[in-house]
Amino acid sequence: MTIEEETFEKQRPIFSKLVGAGFVKQQSTYQLEQDFMNGQFHAIIRINHDAKVSGSVIDNSTGDEYMPLRAIHCGPFAAQVKAAYIELLKSIASQCFVAEPFHSNQANRLADWINQQFHDQPEFVFKRLPDYAVFREPQSQKWYGLVMNIPRARLTNQPTPNSRERVDVIDFRCSPQERPALLKQKGIQPGYHLALCPV
């Protein structure tokens, strides 16, 4: 995971606020250029139409990209540059991003729909699994949906090109009469309670 992916994890840009924060729209991408660390470094941050954030850090004394920033084990100065860059990214996040409960856009759209239809919010009740959330029926407190973030390989029982790739899925309850028809639909698989559906 890149520095940008970690910093903006589970956050969505509010595109209408990007220009006010200094971004310039270039076709389908928004780009911000800003010096930091007293002008020693120059950050170029891009946000594409899919809300993916990427960035480059240029050493102003050489004009080259400062690659020690990306090293797993970096020296004290590189760590200082990295910390300053992360602070810049966090400042952008506070100005024009909104926190989302889940990793995938589809899971977040589903959470919005559930909120609009039933006024139910996801509850993150598992200390050891902070990305898992349940939706509960308000009166009985029984859950009717469980959103999980699992390795994609678990859906196919086959190794994937990126074995660390993860996907949000929802395990939901329904009546036994609905089960056969649902399991015939693409993307719905048998789950612990009924069906496992990638979101």
Side-chain angles (χ1 to χ4, degrees), residues 33-136:
E33 298 197 28
Q34 186 173 320
D35 284 344
F36 67 103
M37 280 191 70
N38 297 318
Q40 294 179 73
F41 294 92
H42 185 74
I44 304 170
I45 299 150
R46 300 170 204 85
I47 304 173
N48 70 14
H49 65 281
D50 291 329
K52 181 172 169 119
V53 182
S54 59
S56 306
V57 171
I58 309 300
D59 184 335
N60 281 333
S61 65
T62 64
D64 296 325
E65 187 166 358
Y66 187 70
M67 297 312 295
L69 174 85
R70 307 283 175 182
I72 295 171
H73 304 289
C74 54
F77 183 72
Q80 185 181 353
V81 176
K82 182 176 181 179
Y85 179 56
I86 290 171
E87 282 306 307
L88 174 60
L89 296 177
K90 286 181 177 177
S91 172
I92 292 166
S94 70
Q95 291 177 66
C96 45
F97 279 69
V98 62
E100 296 276 24
F102 302 112
H103 293 276
S104 72
N105 292 332
Q106 179 69 354
N108 289 316
R109 284 192 290 270
L110 175 64
D112 285 341
W113 182 85
I114 290 172
N115 183 38
Q116 289 170 21
Q117 294 293 316
F118 309 111
H119 310 292
D120 296 338
Q121 296 288 335
E123 296 179 48
F124 294 86
V125 296
F126 306 105
K127 288 183 181 177
R128 293 180 58 195
L129 299 165
D131 291 327
Y132 285 35
V134 298
F135 289 96
R136 295 180 191 269

Side-chain angles (χ1 to χ4, degrees), residues 6-13 51 93-94 97-100 102:
E6 285 184 10
T7 305
F8 293 99
E9 187 176 22
K10 295 169 78 172
Q11 296 192 64
R12 171 177 51 85
S94 70
F97 279 69
V98 62
E100 296 276 24
F102 302 112

